[in-house]
Structure formats: C-alpha cells, structure tokens
Amino acid sequence: MSHASPWWTPDVHADRRPFLLGRNRIQSALRRFFDARDFIEVDTATLQISPGNEAHLHAFATEALNHDGSAHPLYLHTSPEFACKKLVAAGEKRIACFAHVYRNRERGPLHHPEFTMLEWYRAGETYETLMRDCAEILALAAETTGTHQFTFQGRTSDPFAEPERLAVAEAFARFAGIDLLASIAPDGGTDREMLAAAMRSAGLRVAADDTWADLFSRVLVEKVEPHLGFGRATILDEYPVAEAALARPTARDRRVAERFELYACGVELANAFGELTDASEQRRRFEMEMAEKCRVYGETYPLDEDFLAALAIMPEASGIALGFDRLVMLATGATRIDQVLWAPVAETAS
C-alpha cells in the first residue's frame, strides 16, 4: 500500500508549517478571549468510565489493571462534556477546556481519530449567550490570521457578518419542502410514517428499516447541511427533542430543544445546548441511545453514574463544543484536517 510522504519529512512539514503557526496564534487568542471574560481554563482526564452515550459515536476502548491483575474497562473520551459538567456541579461558573478527544471509525478531510475540542460552559446563562460567543470567535480567528473570508472546497463565508439564525423546522421546509413538526407529537414523540411519507413526496429515499431518527438525519445531511454557512455563518437552532442529546426542551415549544449547531462554508463547527439538568430524563435518553447502538452495532457503552449524580445538583447552564481544528482550517485556508495537526495519528493499512 503506497503512502504519501510522511508529515515529518522536511518538505511536507515546510508546507504545513504556516497552518500550524496559525493554529498556535488562534489558540493563544482564544485563551486571551476567555481569560478576559472571567473563564477558568480546566483540564479533564482523557480516560473515562463512559466515552459518551450517543448511538452513532464510536470510542477507543482500553482497560485498567489493578494490583492483583484484574481488569476493568475504560474508554478514551469522545468529549470532555461529562467531566466539565461535574465541575459546573462542583461550583465553577465559567469554564473553558481545550481537550484532545478520540473518535473511532472517523478519518477524512474533516475527521481525525484524535482531535481538539474546545468546550466552554456558562452557569446561570442562556444558550443565546453562546451564539454571541460564536460570532465573536469567528471574527477573532479571522483577525488573528489576517483573513477576510473563510473558505472550504470553493465555498466562502464572511466571519465578520452576523450569523443567520435558522430553526431546524424552517430549514426542512426551505430546503426539502418537509413539515418536520407535523411528525412530532406535543410530548416530543415522533411519527416515523408521517416523516417517511413527506420524504417520499419530496423525492427522498426511504428504506424499510429506517427509524424516524435515520430519516431525520438523511434530510439533514442531504438537503439541509449543504446550504448552511454560505456568505455568512448559520446557527441551526431548535433541534427536535428526540435529537436533543443533552439539551433541555424550549419553553416556547416542548417539541424542540435548546440545541444549536454552528456552520460556516457548509462545515459543522460547533454543537451547543441549554443544558438538561433532569437526571432521570437524561438517564432515559442515554438508555434509548444505547438500545439503538446495540440494535445497529451490537455493542453499548456504560453509563457514567457519577455524571448522572452530578447532574442532579448541577445549576442551570449552557455549554458548547467547538471543533477547534476545523475552525483553524477555515481561518488558515487548509483543505484537510491533518494539515493543522502538529503530529497526525499514523494511518493504518486496511
């Protein structure tokens, strides 16, 4: 199997070096940004009891050995979220974290098995505050690298323009001609057949074993995401409660949640929540996700009981995870994520 020249050869490194220096400048600027807003930078353990409990996230597993040689499983985290929320439960008001995180089955221009997640949390503050943070951070990254526009695969976005705020249901109507909320009950339950019929009418593929979540994801990926973040960033807001993960329902409409994702140049940059602090509801969602993971992949991850206990005393808060390497790519003009990683993970032969 032939490989391109490795990243450490002098000529390849020389090509990558401007992107890497841009990375360092952006990281320094972001540290100053958070420090000026009274955030504490925290550092969380990579090894966790649970790597996260989303059905379609794949973790790297390992094991810890005790003195007697007995073993128990541990995982490399897919996000520092559980640890960060424990710190918010402990009493921290504003925290930020640059965390190396790990996701299996992921490698490509925008995906890497190990990458850097920038997460920050604001106790007692709304998730709209995070939207303002995002707008300021896009502008800051551009200022730091001296660029006037973000680019990726021929698409451009003005990092200084006010981001567009677009509800998921509005995006489904605009880009796919589908009334998404018609397939969601007042209690957040979903109607698979109603969404399937709407998709067939819109000319979209529906497989017999597709769940409502599968159908939702297909419309999002095929019809909605390709239109987001052109000209200016897009904040895709108010995800259905069934797709809320760790977000709470909105006060206005219990069918949708305080969750948004940030896009620029068609690239997903960040995922934010008005945090769910109902431990029993969170447990229910995790168990549903793990049941789906077992159905699709034949495996599950444990629940972090410590996290669920901390959630019971966690104050209202908002939190966000931003793909730091992707932000660097857009701000420096890099075309692949490995161009902005100082030492990429070795590629394994298939």
Side-chain angles (χ1 to χ4, degrees):
M1 185 176 182
S2 61
H3 285 281
S5 297
W7 57 265
W8 49 263
T9 56
D11 57 332
V12 173
H13 181 68
D15 288 341
R16 291 177 354 102
R17 195 166 185 268
F19 301 130
L20 299 169
L21 296 180
R23 174 194 181 94
N24 284 18
R25 288 196 299 273
I26 294 169
Q27 189 168 33
S28 295
L30 285 169
R31 285 197 159 109
R32 292 192 296 271
F33 173 90
F34 285 111
D35 190 48
R37 288 157 181 77
D38 298 321
F39 279 77
I40 303 294
E41 184 171 346
V42 301
D43 190 14
T44 63
T46 295
L47 288 168
Q48 296 286 336
I49 295 291
S50 173
N53 295 107
E54 293 181 45
H56 302 292
L57 278 186
H58 302 280
F60 289 88
T62 185
E63 60 181 18
L65 300 177
N66 299 317
H67 288 301
D68 63 2
S70 62
H72 64 270
L74 287 175
Y75 298 86
L76 299 179
H77 64 181
T78 58
S79 157
E81 180 169 8
F82 291 0
C84 284
K85 288 183 178 176
K86 290 172 186 175
L87 288 169
V88 174
E92 293 296 341
K93 302 298 186 190
R94 292 183 179 183
I95 57 173
C97 179
F98 284 96
H100 278 234
V101 299
Y102 306 83
R103 298 192 177 180
N104 220 335
R105 301 196 190 195
E106 294 192 12
R107 190 154 199 156
L110 288 168
H111 296 88
H112 203 73
E114 179 179 353
F115 62 99
T116 299
M117 191 85 87
L118 168 60
E119 292 202 9
W120 67 100
Y121 292 82
R122 291 176 172 271
E125 298 183 77
T126 68
Y127 83 137
E128 282 85 3
T129 311
L130 300 177
M131 297 180 189
R132 292 195 291 275
D133 289 340
C134 286
E136 292 177 10
I137 283 171
L138 294 178
L140 178 64
E143 287 170 5
T144 302
T145 55
T147 187
H148 299 294
Q149 68 177 13
F150 288 168
T151 59
F152 185 71
Q153 293 184 346
R155 306 159 178 163
T156 62
S157 183
D158 180 353
F160 300 102
E162 182 71 21
E164 172 193 25
R165 186 172 174 181
L166 178 65
V168 172
E170 186 183 340
F172 269 57
R174 182 186 303 177
F175 301 123
I178 289 172
D179 181 355
L180 177 65
L181 295 181
S183 71
I184 305 175
D187 66 356
T190 56
D191 185 331
R192 186 258 182 206
E193 294 310 317
M194 185 167 284
L195 182 56
M199 288 179 63
R200 291 190 191 99
S201 296
L204 286 166
R205 177 174 58 89
V206 175
D209 62 345
D210 280 336
T211 64
W212 185 93
D214 294 332
L215 299 174
F216 173 85
S217 295
R218 185 168 303 133
V219 178
L220 190 68
V221 170
E222 293 182 10
K223 292 293 185 180
V224 175
E225 285 185 338
H227 298 282
L228 302 180
F230 293 167
R232 59 175 172 154
T234 300
I235 289 171
L236 188 66
D237 188 23
E238 295 190 352
Y239 276 67
V241 163
E243 297 292 318
L246 292 87
R248 65 189 177 202
T250 67
R252 182 182 59 78
D253 186 342
R254 304 290 293 181
R255 295 176 296 176
V256 295
E258 291 187 356
R259 175 185 177 188
F260 76 80
E261 293 199 349
L262 174 70
Y263 290 82
C265 305
V267 175
E268 179 200 333
L269 286 175
N271 188 18
F273 303 143
E275 300 295 354
L276 179 67
T277 53
D278 180 334
S280 60
E281 169 63 11
Q282 187 64 78
R283 180 186 296 278
R284 186 189 70 81
R285 292 189 193 177
F286 280 166
E287 288 172 349
M288 285 179 59
E289 286 286 315
M290 290 302 91
E292 176 67 1
K293 187 173 193 67
C294 187
R295 182 185 75 84
V296 178
Y297 303 108
E299 65 172 347
T300 64
Y301 299 138
L303 271 55
D304 183 341
E305 294 294 342
D306 233 17
F307 168 67
L308 291 167
L311 207 60
I313 65 165
M314 180 177 146
E316 287 201 356
S318 57
I320 183 166
L322 182 143
F324 175 66
D325 315 285
R326 291 184 178 185
L327 177 66
V328 173
M329 286 177 66
L330 297 186
T332 61
T335 57
R336 301 187 318 278
I337 193 169
D338 58 3
Q339 292 174 307
V340 302
L341 303 174
W342 277 95
V345 175
E347 291 200 53
T348 52
S350 57

